[in-house]
């Protein structure tokens, strides 16, 4: 009964309301109104667009259960399944079409449900229409506009069956107009309006025919509630049909004229009278006519060739060329009425005939409106199949079109045309698009056109960063001149395109930015007076940082590229605006993603400027995050030293200050101040893990093996002076592998002891560890009897530890006494340690059971290797 072409206008999504009150997507398909199988009832049938399985089969109900929402949704409660259903249409035209047919089916159901007795009583006077005469005009009006749904259906049927009804009615109209009988003209206006309100497609086809349409429009001029408007004169005298190219098919010409008149009637004559259902029906007629026109022209093998051939001819006049381009644009626009497959074939035929060459020529025109029409045609192709345009621009003949698109984006058209060029370039550079051409397009863009965009920014921004002063710079066309005046909208679109490229081409954009200093040039936008351009520059940095690329972050920190952002933030002050929010959001991203490189760079470099904004949560949190990162870095550093102190001592080189100190001080002073610091450090040695107290020697600060009292052995002689000097001259820690026989040797001169008194332990600790390594390497390997092999600690030693701990801060005052003890206690270390390490395997095993570093040792002891 009803047909609806399968295409975008019948495409719907089917939804069902679940028990949770949410709409479940049941699938996408195409809807039709047709008879249900094995039944005489009409229903809605939705077939899946892929496998053609039935998604929905609903019997149209005569009850008022259907609702139309937002021009694209029809919903109802299905009484058969007790559930809420909805159809969401892709196009408003399709929704209106189905809605009208649902209403029509309901009217038919109401009509058929009336019992015969009632039907005959109501329609006893409607067996035929009153005769069409001047005297019967009031009766005809009453018949048309009064009555219920059944009466309206009967009137529609009678009008369609009467082949001369409209012709007679138009004759009465012309007679009344000649007689200037305004009363009759008003009645005829109401009759025609009432007939249109019946909303019958078959009636519309009759009255919109070439024979009746002008007289119908004339009848509608005599609205008693509105001033008289001469619509016929406007259509005859002012509306001119221009044939850009000759169309020989009479059906095509008739449909074109009818389409215009229906649109004029809908939009200009009866906009206040027509309801949504009638408007939708008229739109459906327009859509159907467009599909017929395009289909007939498409099937004409010579039409497209003639059209594009005329556009290519150099002899074609500018005016004719302009009309042909507008006709081509309208032809491509109307092709949306076709089904998807037919659209694709049409556009492919246009490409084969060279339409892109014509568009390239159009984009070079000085007529800006014509250029706008050319971009509209390209957008239509991109919406249909972007690969058609991509395949063209990567060819040699298509490079010119690509360049014109970039140039158009940088040209001032005095209209909002830059967005169209931006949209076309985005579609071409989209990395998520299918097709093999995208890599070639991206390569062409970065090699030939990206620098062109960057040069526009640099030539349009002041160089001093404060005022928009005029400066000499290289313009994007290669010339040199003063600062160019480019519309801010163009700069904004360039920045948006760069952000798009960062997201879609992270590798290429990184290489290009790092090699050509692009980031710094884009940040010139922060010098512009337009705040939205400054915000665009901040958005560019935010997009760049969001890639979380370590190389880019190091580059930003090394070249101080966040300085312009911080400067504009500080200059903005306490004003709460978009710029303030954009910068704070950038800081929040750095903090939340824990970008340590930028976090350290930001706080170290700009905290003096940002501290005044510490009351803001984002700034305060940024500083807290920075301090937490420093604390965690320090903890990991100490933990790594505690894990392997020997490796740390081996890998650690002499720091510059201590190396200078080592080279400058005399050997005599080194010998005189040998063990003062070691004695001080020994105070902090804790008990061993086995529960015994460690033995403490004034000579060592916590050796690997414990020793007994030093007074038992006085035979040891210090190594010769010459050997010590040689070890000092070597100065290389790596040349002496650090083994378990580490020894503590001389402490620096008394001048160094003053620093210990002031609490500076770290330098002395490092120096003592190095000296221990060097001294141990040159000491003679003598085997002597050791008084104690296992190294137990006596009570006297524990007291000595406590005593030394109390006098830790007074090492300067007791320095001479420590030096005196040095002469007697020095021999014990090398003697007993060497014997315990080399003569007794049992002792060596016991020595390895002791920890390399006491559990409660300080970080300074860890650095010393103690």
């Amino acid at each position: 009964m009803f047909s609806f072409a399968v295409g975008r206008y019948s495409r719907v999504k089917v939804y069902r309301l679940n028990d949770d009150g949410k709409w479940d997507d049941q699938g996408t398909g195409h809807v039709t109104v047709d008879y249900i199988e094995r039944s005489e009832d009409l229903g809605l049938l939705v077939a899946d667009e892929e496998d053609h399985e039935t998604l929905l089969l609903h019997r149209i109900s005569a009850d008022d259960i259907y609702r139309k929402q937002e021009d694209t949704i029809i919903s109802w409660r299905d009484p058969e399944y007790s559930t809420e259903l909805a159809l969401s249409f892709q196009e408003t035209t399709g929704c209106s079409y189905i809605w009208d047919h649902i209403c029509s089916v309901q009217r038919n159901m109401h009509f058929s449900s009336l019992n015969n007795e009632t039907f005959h009583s109501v329609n006893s006077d409607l067996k035929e229409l009153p005769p069409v005469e001047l005297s019967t005009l009031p009766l005809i009006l009453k018949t048309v506009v009064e009555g219920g749904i059944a009466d309206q259906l009967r009137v529609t049927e009678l009008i369609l069956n009467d082949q001369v009804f409209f012709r007679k009615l138009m004759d009465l109209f012309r007679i009344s107009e000649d007689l200037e009988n305004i009363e009759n003209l008003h009645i005829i206006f109401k009759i025609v309006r009432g007939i249109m309100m019946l909303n019958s497609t078959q009636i519309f086809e009759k009255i919109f025919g070439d024979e009746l349409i002008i007289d119908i429009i004339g009848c509608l001029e005599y609205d008693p509630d509105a001033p008289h408007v001469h619509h016929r004169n406007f259509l005859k005298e002012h509306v001119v049909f221009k044939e850009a190219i000759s169309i020989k098919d009479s059906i095509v010409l008739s449909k074109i004229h009818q389409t215009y008149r229906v649109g004029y009637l809908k939009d200009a004559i009866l906009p206040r009278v027509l309801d949504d259902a009638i408007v939708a029906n008229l739109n459906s007629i327009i859509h159907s006519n467009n599909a017929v026109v395009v289909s007939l022209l498409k099937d004409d093998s010579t039409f497209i060739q003639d059209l594009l051939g005329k556009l290519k001819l150099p002899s074609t006049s500018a005016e004719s060329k302009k009309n042909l381009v507008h006709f081509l644009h309208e032809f491509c626009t109307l092709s949306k009425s076709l089904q998807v497959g037919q659209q694709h074939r049409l556009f492919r035929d246009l490409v084969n005939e060279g339409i892109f060459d014509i568009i390239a020529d159009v984009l070079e025109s000085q007529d800006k409106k014509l250029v706008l029409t050319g971009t509209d045609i390209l957008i239509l192709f991109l919406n249909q199949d972007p690969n058609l345009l991509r395949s063209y621009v990567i060819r040699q003949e298509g490079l010119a079109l690509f360049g014109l698109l970039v140039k158009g984006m940088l040209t001032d058209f005095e209209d909002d045309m830059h967005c169209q060029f931006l949209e076309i370039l985005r579609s071409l550079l989209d990395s998520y698009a299918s097709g093999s051409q995208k890599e070639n397009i991206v390569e062409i863009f970065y090699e030939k056109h990206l620098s062109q965009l960057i040069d526009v920014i640099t030539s349009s921004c002041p160089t001093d960063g404060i005022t928009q002063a005029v400066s000499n710079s290289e313009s994007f066309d290669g010339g040199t001149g003063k600062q160019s005046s480019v519309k801010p909208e163009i700069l904004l679109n360039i920045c948006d395109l760069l952000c798009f490229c960062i997201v879609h081409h992270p590798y290429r954009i990184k290489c290009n930015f790092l090699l050509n200093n692009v980031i710094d040039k884009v940040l010139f936008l922060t010098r512009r007076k337009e705040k939205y351009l400054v915000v665009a520059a901040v958005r560019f940095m935010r997009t760049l940082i969001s890639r979380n690329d370590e190389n880019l972050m190091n580059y930003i920190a090394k070249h101080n590229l966040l300085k312009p952002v911080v400067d504009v933030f500080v200059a903005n002050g306490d004003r709460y605006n978009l710029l303030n929010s954009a910068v704070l959001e950038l800081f929040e991203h750095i903090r939340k993603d824990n970008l340590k490189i930028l976090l350290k760079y930001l706080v170290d470099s700009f905290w003096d400027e940002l501290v005044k904004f510490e009351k803001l949560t984002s700034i305060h949190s940024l500083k807290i995050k920075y301090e937490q990162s420093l604390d965690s870095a320090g903890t990991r550093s100490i933990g790594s030293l505690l894990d392997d102190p020997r490796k740390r001592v081996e890998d650690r080189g002499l720091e510059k200050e201590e190396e200078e100190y080592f080279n400058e001080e005399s050997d005599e002073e080194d010998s005189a101040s040998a063990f003062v610091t070691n004695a001080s450090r020994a105070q902090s040695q804790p008990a061993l893990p086995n529960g015994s107290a460690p033995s403490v020697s004034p000579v060592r600060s916590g050796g690997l093996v414990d020793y007994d009292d030093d007074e038992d052995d006085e035979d040891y002689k210090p190594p010769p002076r010459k050997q010590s000097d040689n070890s000092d001259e070597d100065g290389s820690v790596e040349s002496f592998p650090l083994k378990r026989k580490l020894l503590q040797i001389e402490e620096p001169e008394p001048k160094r002891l003053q620093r210990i008194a002031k609490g500076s332990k770290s330098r002395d600790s490092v120096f003592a560890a190095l000296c221990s390594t060097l001294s141990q390497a040159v000491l003679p390997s003598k085997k002597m009897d050791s008084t104690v092999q296992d190294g137990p600690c006596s009570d006297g030693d524990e007291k000595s530890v406590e005593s030394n701990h109390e006098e830790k801060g007074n090492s300067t005052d007791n320095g001479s006494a420590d030096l005196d003890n040095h002469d007697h206690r020095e021999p014990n270390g090398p003697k007993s340690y060497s014997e315990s390490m080399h003569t007794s395997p049992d002792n060596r095993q016991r020595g390895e059971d002791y920890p390399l570093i006491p559990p409660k040792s300080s970080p300074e002891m860890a650095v010393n290797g103690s």
Side-chain angles (χ1 to χ4, degrees), residues 404-421:
L404 289 171
L405 292 174
V406 177
K407 182 180 178 182
M409 182 178 172
L410 307 178
T411 304
D412 183 9
F413 288 96
E414 300 178 357
D415 293 314
D416 296 333
M417 294 178 57
H418 314 97
C419 294
Q420 290 179 285
F421 287 102

Side-chain angles (χ1 to χ4, degrees), residues 144-163:
V144 170
V145 300
E146 295 182 3
I149 296 177
D151 295 324
Q152 293 178 3
L153 294 175
R154 180 60 177 165
V155 169
T156 302
E157 183 181 358
L158 293 175
I159 291 176
L160 291 174
N161 292 333
D162 191 346
Q163 301 297 328

Side-chain angles (χ1 to χ4, degrees), residues 518-534:
V518 171
I519 303 176
D520 189 37
K521 295 177 182 178
V522 175
L523 288 175
F524 285 176
L525 291 174
T526 58
R527 305 172 183 176
R528 296 279 301 198
K529 62 182 180 180
E530 297 87 0
K531 291 299 182 183
Y532 60 89
L533 289 182
V534 180

